[in-house]
Amino acid sequence: MKMINLHVIASGSKGNASLIYDEETLILVDLGISKERLIEGLNEIGKSLNDISYAFFTHDHSDHIKSYEFIDEHKRFALSKTIPLIKTNVLKAYNEYTFGSFLVTPIKTSHDASSPCGYLFKNEGETLGYITDTGLLTPRALKLLTNLNYYYFESNYDENMLLNSGRPSILIARILSNKGHLSNDLSAKYLSMLVGSNTKEVILCHLSEECNEENVALNTHFDYYDKLGLDMSNIIYKCAKQRESVDL
């Protein structure tokens, strides 16, 4: 029986929100979508706003926190400076916390935001790494994320598509930087180092609608693994979507 369930309501630059849950605890990660879409996503798993036990936020960009005020203040948790005027429920990176039936560890990421982080979730021996919006991962982060059961992992752009996108050079430079986003290639490199015998499923997330495509992201990953001689046939790979929910 799966102890960690992930329902991705939306993933991308136009808004992000995910639900992580078991029979006892329902966790919201990020809320950069409308209240109406959140309610729709909750209804898809038979839940309502009142069922949300806790809400965690990865960083302070609007596509991740735009609608945070719809969540009761006592349920909001984040690193310092992530939520405007947050004074209580401030988490510290790399500390492990108990929230209902989950153990939660914030993991620092590298992004041009105030206090960006991802999260490691544990529940009854199962593990999920939730990593989005980062230009790199540190050795400390990689160690904590090694050989998990599930990964929600950024694969934002195809480098050739980005360079030929016609976007302003300053925006391209930002995305390519160590405080930008993970390319398909770098995402594949990291995951080739992380996945192991315990890994069951990977959801690639935050795909750019202009500079990436699902088949491009997936093929980049599989081609990279093939070059290394890695057999990923026993791991399910899929992509999160901007306008359609996706489940582990």
Side-chain angles (χ1 to χ4, degrees):
M1 179 180 178
K2 185 183 291 186
M3 299 306 300
I4 296 180
N5 299 280
L6 171 62
H7 184 67
V8 183
I9 302 173
S11 175
S13 61
K14 292 180 176 62
N16 297 268
S18 296
L19 301 169
I20 297 171
Y21 63 100
D22 64 2
E23 294 182 355
E24 176 185 335
T25 304
L26 175 62
I27 293 171
L28 171 68
V29 182
D30 286 337
L31 187 53
I33 58 175
S34 67
K35 182 180 180 181
E36 290 72 23
R37 180 66 188 106
L38 172 61
I39 291 172
E40 288 178 0
L42 286 161
N43 288 339
E44 290 166 358
I45 61 169
K47 302 292 184 180
S48 68
L49 279 175
N50 291 333
D51 293 318
I52 295 175
S53 309
Y54 312 98
F56 298 100
F57 297 88
T58 59
H59 63 288
D60 59 357
H61 288 168
S62 64
D63 59 324
H64 293 262
I65 68 164
K66 179 173 60 179
S67 301
Y68 76 94
E69 291 179 323
F70 292 125
I71 303 301
D72 292 342
E73 185 175 1
H74 71 279
K75 294 182 178 181
R76 305 177 206 152
F77 294 83
L79 297 189
S80 64
K81 302 179 182 179
T82 301
I83 300 297
L85 304 179
I86 187 170
K87 296 178 181 178
T88 59
N89 298 345
V90 177
L91 305 176
K92 292 185 178 181
Y94 303 112
N95 283 10
E96 185 176 73
Y97 301 88
T98 299
F99 289 96
S101 51
F102 285 83
L103 296 175
V104 183
T105 303
I107 297 174
K108 284 188 176 180
T109 52
S110 180
H111 197 52
D112 55 354
S114 297
S115 300
C117 74
Y119 292 96
L120 170 60
F121 295 94
K122 299 179 182 178
N123 185 332
E124 294 293 333
E126 284 199 332
T127 52
L128 164 66
Y130 194 101
I131 299 295
T132 183
D133 293 66
T134 190
L136 57 79
L137 290 172
T138 66
R140 186 175 187 181
L142 290 170
K143 183 177 181 180
L144 285 170
L145 293 167
T146 297
N147 199 18
L148 305 182
N149 297 124
Y150 310 109
Y151 291 93
Y152 179 84
F153 207 83
E154 180 174 63
S155 193
N156 179 249
Y157 64 92
D158 173 83
E159 188 166 341
N160 288 330
M161 291 177 69
L162 175 63
L163 293 174
N164 292 287
S165 64
R167 289 179 168 184
S169 58
I170 191 170
L171 175 58
I172 292 175
R174 169 191 171 262
I175 294 169
L176 290 169
S177 76
N178 286 342
K179 290 190 175 182
H181 292 274
L182 293 183
S183 67
N184 294 333
D185 295 286
L186 189 52
S187 178
K189 179 180 179 180
Y190 279 136
L191 280 170
S192 72
M193 299 162 59
L194 293 174
V195 298
S197 58
N198 293 330
T199 306
K200 303 174 184 178
E201 191 163 335
V202 173
I203 296 181
L204 302 179
C205 68
H206 216 291
L207 273 68
S208 168
E209 290 188 298
E210 296 177 355
C211 302
N212 209 353
E213 296 175 1
E214 289 186 30
N215 66 311
V216 172
L218 291 169
N219 288 337
T220 299
H221 279 254
F222 297 148
D223 289 346
Y224 188 88
Y225 305 146
D226 286 344
K227 290 177 183 177
L228 295 179
L230 298 176
D231 182 7
M232 299 291 193
S233 59
N234 61 326
I235 301 174
I236 298 171
Y237 268 77
K238 61 182 69 170
C239 294
K241 303 175 187 294
Q242 183 67 81
R243 298 173 179 82
E244 181 182 338
S245 299
V246 173
D247 294 278
L248 277 176

PDB file of all heavy atoms in Angstrom, residues 157-166 172 176 183-185 210-212 216:
ATOM      1  N   TYR A 157      13.827  23.299 -19.129  1.00  0.00           N
ATOM      2  CA  TYR A 157      13.988  23.754 -20.509  1.00  0.00           C
ATOM      3  C   TYR A 157      14.965  22.890 -21.296  1.00  0.00           C
ATOM      4  O   TYR A 157      15.853  22.238 -20.747  1.00  0.00           O
ATOM      5  CB  TYR A 157      14.473  25.209 -20.533  1.00  0.00           C
ATOM      6  CG  TYR A 157      15.848  25.408 -19.918  1.00  0.00           C
ATOM      7  CD1 TYR A 157      17.006  25.369 -20.698  1.00  0.00           C
ATOM      8  CD2 TYR A 157      15.999  25.621 -18.554  1.00  0.00           C
ATOM      9  CE1 TYR A 157      18.265  25.528 -20.131  1.00  0.00           C
ATOM     10  CE2 TYR A 157      17.248  25.794 -17.982  1.00  0.00           C
ATOM     11  CZ  TYR A 157      18.375  25.746 -18.770  1.00  0.00           C
ATOM     12  OH  TYR A 157      19.618  25.894 -18.210  1.00  0.00           O
ATOM     13  N   ASP A 158      14.775  22.906 -22.597  1.00  0.00           N
ATOM     14  CA  ASP A 158      15.753  22.372 -23.543  1.00  0.00           C
ATOM     15  C   ASP A 158      16.662  23.532 -23.927  1.00  0.00           C
ATOM     16  O   ASP A 158      16.182  24.592 -24.344  1.00  0.00           O
ATOM     17  CB  ASP A 158      15.040  21.811 -24.775  1.00  0.00           C
ATOM     18  CG  ASP A 158      16.002  21.392 -25.862  1.00  0.00           C
ATOM     19  OD1 ASP A 158      16.536  20.278 -25.786  1.00  0.00           O
ATOM     20  OD2 ASP A 158      16.226  22.225 -26.781  1.00  0.00           O
ATOM     21  N   GLU A 159      17.964  23.362 -23.796  1.00  0.00           N
ATOM     22  CA  GLU A 159      18.881  24.486 -23.974  1.00  0.00           C
ATOM     23  C   GLU A 159      18.814  25.071 -25.386  1.00  0.00           C
ATOM     24  O   GLU A 159      18.818  26.298 -25.562  1.00  0.00           O
ATOM     25  CB  GLU A 159      20.314  24.082 -23.646  1.00  0.00           C
ATOM     26  CG  GLU A 159      21.270  25.256 -23.638  1.00  0.00           C
ATOM     27  CD  GLU A 159      22.600  24.935 -22.996  1.00  0.00           C
ATOM     28  OE1 GLU A 159      22.687  23.956 -22.242  1.00  0.00           O
ATOM     29  OE2 GLU A 159      23.570  25.683 -23.255  1.00  0.00           O
ATOM     30  N   ASN A 160      18.738  24.227 -26.396  1.00  0.00           N
ATOM     31  CA  ASN A 160      18.657  24.740 -27.768  1.00  0.00           C
ATOM     32  C   ASN A 160      17.372  25.527 -27.995  1.00  0.00           C
ATOM     33  O   ASN A 160      17.378  26.583 -28.649  1.00  0.00           O
ATOM     34  CB  ASN A 160      18.747  23.593 -28.772  1.00  0.00           C
ATOM     35  CG  ASN A 160      20.142  23.012 -28.867  1.00  0.00           C
ATOM     36  OD1 ASN A 160      21.132  23.718 -28.660  1.00  0.00           O
ATOM     37  ND2 ASN A 160      20.238  21.726 -29.169  1.00  0.00           N
ATOM     38  N   MET A 161      16.268  25.029 -27.464  1.00  0.00           N
ATOM     39  CA  MET A 161      14.997  25.741 -27.602  1.00  0.00           C
ATOM     40  C   MET A 161      15.057  27.078 -26.874  1.00  0.00           C
ATOM     41  O   MET A 161      14.530  28.087 -27.370  1.00  0.00           O
ATOM     42  CB  MET A 161      13.852  24.883 -27.063  1.00  0.00           C
ATOM     43  CG  MET A 161      13.554  23.651 -27.905  1.00  0.00           C
ATOM     44  SD  MET A 161      12.252  22.593 -27.185  1.00  0.00           S
ATOM     45  CE  MET A 161      10.804  23.640 -27.410  1.00  0.00           C
ATOM     46  N   LEU A 162      15.694  27.106 -25.719  1.00  0.00           N
ATOM     47  CA  LEU A 162      15.815  28.354 -24.969  1.00  0.00           C
ATOM     48  C   LEU A 162      16.664  29.373 -25.727  1.00  0.00           C
ATOM     49  O   LEU A 162      16.269  30.540 -25.873  1.00  0.00           O
ATOM     50  CB  LEU A 162      16.433  28.085 -23.597  1.00  0.00           C
ATOM     51  CG  LEU A 162      16.725  29.314 -22.733  1.00  0.00           C
ATOM     52  CD1 LEU A 162      15.448  30.053 -22.377  1.00  0.00           C
ATOM     53  CD2 LEU A 162      17.492  28.907 -21.471  1.00  0.00           C
ATOM     54  N   LEU A 163      17.808  28.939 -26.231  1.00  0.00           N
ATOM     55  CA  LEU A 163      18.716  29.858 -26.912  1.00  0.00           C
ATOM     56  C   LEU A 163      18.118  30.411 -28.199  1.00  0.00           C
ATOM     57  O   LEU A 163      18.490  31.487 -28.659  1.00  0.00           O
ATOM     58  CB  LEU A 163      20.043  29.160 -27.198  1.00  0.00           C
ATOM     59  CG  LEU A 163      20.883  28.801 -25.962  1.00  0.00           C
ATOM     60  CD1 LEU A 163      22.096  27.977 -26.366  1.00  0.00           C
ATOM     61  CD2 LEU A 163      21.310  30.050 -25.213  1.00  0.00           C
ATOM     62  N   ASN A 164      17.191  29.662 -28.796  1.00  0.00           N
ATOM     63  CA  ASN A 164      16.557  30.097 -30.048  1.00  0.00           C
ATOM     64  C   ASN A 164      15.123  30.576 -29.845  1.00  0.00           C
ATOM     65  O   ASN A 164      14.357  30.673 -30.802  1.00  0.00           O
ATOM     66  CB  ASN A 164      16.572  28.943 -31.054  1.00  0.00           C
ATOM     67  CG  ASN A 164      17.978  28.605 -31.528  1.00  0.00           C
ATOM     68  OD1 ASN A 164      18.574  29.340 -32.305  1.00  0.00           O
ATOM     69  ND2 ASN A 164      18.516  27.488 -31.037  1.00  0.00           N
ATOM     70  N   SER A 165      14.781  30.899 -28.613  1.00  0.00           N
ATOM     71  CA  SER A 165      13.400  31.244 -28.280  1.00  0.00           C
ATOM     72  C   SER A 165      13.026  32.681 -28.614  1.00  0.00           C
ATOM     73  O   SER A 165      11.841  33.020 -28.638  1.00  0.00           O
ATOM     74  CB  SER A 165      13.164  31.032 -26.779  1.00  0.00           C
ATOM     75  OG  SER A 165      13.966  31.920 -26.020  1.00  0.00           O
ATOM     76  N   GLY A 166      14.023  33.531 -28.836  1.00  0.00           N
ATOM     77  CA  GLY A 166      13.733  34.937 -29.063  1.00  0.00           C
ATOM     78  C   GLY A 166      13.490  35.705 -27.785  1.00  0.00           C
ATOM     79  O   GLY A 166      13.144  36.900 -27.812  1.00  0.00           O
ATOM     80  N   ILE A 172      17.305  34.901 -20.725  1.00  0.00           N
ATOM     81  CA  ILE A 172      17.994  33.646 -21.042  1.00  0.00           C
ATOM     82  C   ILE A 172      19.162  33.422 -20.079  1.00  0.00           C
ATOM     83  O   ILE A 172      19.354  32.321 -19.556  1.00  0.00           O
ATOM     84  CB  ILE A 172      18.482  33.654 -22.501  1.00  0.00           C
ATOM     85  CG1 ILE A 172      17.279  33.616 -23.463  1.00  0.00           C
ATOM     86  CG2 ILE A 172      19.416  32.478 -22.769  1.00  0.00           C
ATOM     87  CD1 ILE A 172      17.655  33.754 -24.924  1.00  0.00           C
ATOM     88  N   LEU A 176      19.672  30.284 -17.417  1.00  0.00           N
ATOM     89  CA  LEU A 176      20.862  29.426 -17.538  1.00  0.00           C
ATOM     90  C   LEU A 176      21.761  29.475 -16.311  1.00  0.00           C
ATOM     91  O   LEU A 176      22.613  28.602 -16.138  1.00  0.00           O
ATOM     92  CB  LEU A 176      21.677  29.852 -18.761  1.00  0.00           C
ATOM     93  CG  LEU A 176      21.090  29.569 -20.136  1.00  0.00           C
ATOM     94  CD1 LEU A 176      21.904  30.287 -21.201  1.00  0.00           C
ATOM     95  CD2 LEU A 176      21.068  28.068 -20.422  1.00  0.00           C
ATOM     96  N   SER A 183      18.008  22.577 -16.650  1.00  0.00           N
ATOM     97  CA  SER A 183      17.742  22.136 -18.017  1.00  0.00           C
ATOM     98  C   SER A 183      17.407  20.652 -18.013  1.00  0.00           C
ATOM     99  O   SER A 183      17.642  19.933 -17.025  1.00  0.00           O
ATOM    100  CB  SER A 183      18.968  22.381 -18.895  1.00  0.00           C
ATOM    101  OG  SER A 183      20.032  21.531 -18.480  1.00  0.00           O
ATOM    102  N   ASN A 184      16.903  20.172 -19.134  1.00  0.00           N
ATOM    103  CA  ASN A 184      16.683  18.734 -19.263  1.00  0.00           C
ATOM    104  C   ASN A 184      17.976  17.960 -19.045  1.00  0.00           C
ATOM    105  O   ASN A 184      17.986  16.905 -18.389  1.00  0.00           O
ATOM    106  CB  ASN A 184      16.119  18.406 -20.649  1.00  0.00           C
ATOM    107  CG  ASN A 184      14.732  18.967 -20.869  1.00  0.00           C
ATOM    108  OD1 ASN A 184      13.968  19.177 -19.936  1.00  0.00           O
ATOM    109  ND2 ASN A 184      14.398  19.218 -22.128  1.00  0.00           N
ATOM    110  N   ASP A 185      19.059  18.454 -19.608  1.00  0.00           N
ATOM    111  CA  ASP A 185      20.340  17.762 -19.505  1.00  0.00           C
ATOM    112  C   ASP A 185      20.838  17.693 -18.068  1.00  0.00           C
ATOM    113  O   ASP A 185      21.291  16.636 -17.605  1.00  0.00           O
ATOM    114  CB  ASP A 185      21.394  18.457 -20.380  1.00  0.00           C
ATOM    115  CG  ASP A 185      21.072  18.367 -21.861  1.00  0.00           C
ATOM    116  OD1 ASP A 185      21.238  17.278 -22.433  1.00  0.00           O
ATOM    117  OD2 ASP A 185      20.654  19.374 -22.440  1.00  0.00           O
ATOM    118  N   GLU A 210       7.248  27.285 -23.523  1.00  0.00           N
ATOM    119  CA  GLU A 210       7.867  27.850 -24.712  1.00  0.00           C
ATOM    120  C   GLU A 210       9.173  27.164 -25.085  1.00  0.00           C
ATOM    121  O   GLU A 210       9.533  27.132 -26.270  1.00  0.00           O
ATOM    122  CB  GLU A 210       8.150  29.352 -24.487  1.00  0.00           C
ATOM    123  CG  GLU A 210       6.910  30.195 -24.294  1.00  0.00           C
ATOM    124  CD  GLU A 210       7.252  31.646 -24.009  1.00  0.00           C
ATOM    125  OE1 GLU A 210       8.449  31.973 -23.877  1.00  0.00           O
ATOM    126  OE2 GLU A 210       6.316  32.466 -23.909  1.00  0.00           O
ATOM    127  N   CYS A 211       9.883  26.648 -24.101  1.00  0.00           N
ATOM    128  CA  CYS A 211      11.243  26.144 -24.340  1.00  0.00           C
ATOM    129  C   CYS A 211      11.411  24.687 -23.951  1.00  0.00           C
ATOM    130  O   CYS A 211      12.530  24.242 -23.621  1.00  0.00           O
ATOM    131  CB  CYS A 211      12.253  27.007 -23.588  1.00  0.00           C
ATOM    132  SG  CYS A 211      12.195  28.746 -24.055  1.00  0.00           S
ATOM    133  N   ASN A 212      10.334  23.932 -23.958  1.00  0.00           N
ATOM    134  CA  ASN A 212      10.414  22.507 -23.656  1.00  0.00           C
ATOM    135  C   ASN A 212       9.153  21.816 -24.152  1.00  0.00           C
ATOM    136  O   ASN A 212       8.144  22.461 -24.441  1.00  0.00           O
ATOM    137  CB  ASN A 212      10.569  22.287 -22.148  1.00  0.00           C
ATOM    138  CG  ASN A 212      11.335  21.026 -21.815  1.00  0.00           C
ATOM    139  OD1 ASN A 212      11.660  20.217 -22.688  1.00  0.00           O
ATOM    140  ND2 ASN A 212      11.640  20.848 -20.548  1.00  0.00           N
ATOM    141  N   VAL A 216      10.452  15.867 -25.514  1.00  0.00           N
ATOM    142  CA  VAL A 216      11.843  16.329 -25.531  1.00  0.00           C
ATOM    143  C   VAL A 216      12.487  16.081 -24.173  1.00  0.00           C
ATOM    144  O   VAL A 216      13.609  15.572 -24.077  1.00  0.00           O
ATOM    145  CB  VAL A 216      11.917  17.824 -25.902  1.00  0.00           C
ATOM    146  CG1 VAL A 216      13.346  18.352 -25.734  1.00  0.00           C
ATOM    147  CG2 VAL A 216      11.438  18.039 -27.332  1.00  0.00           C
TER     148      VAL A 216
END
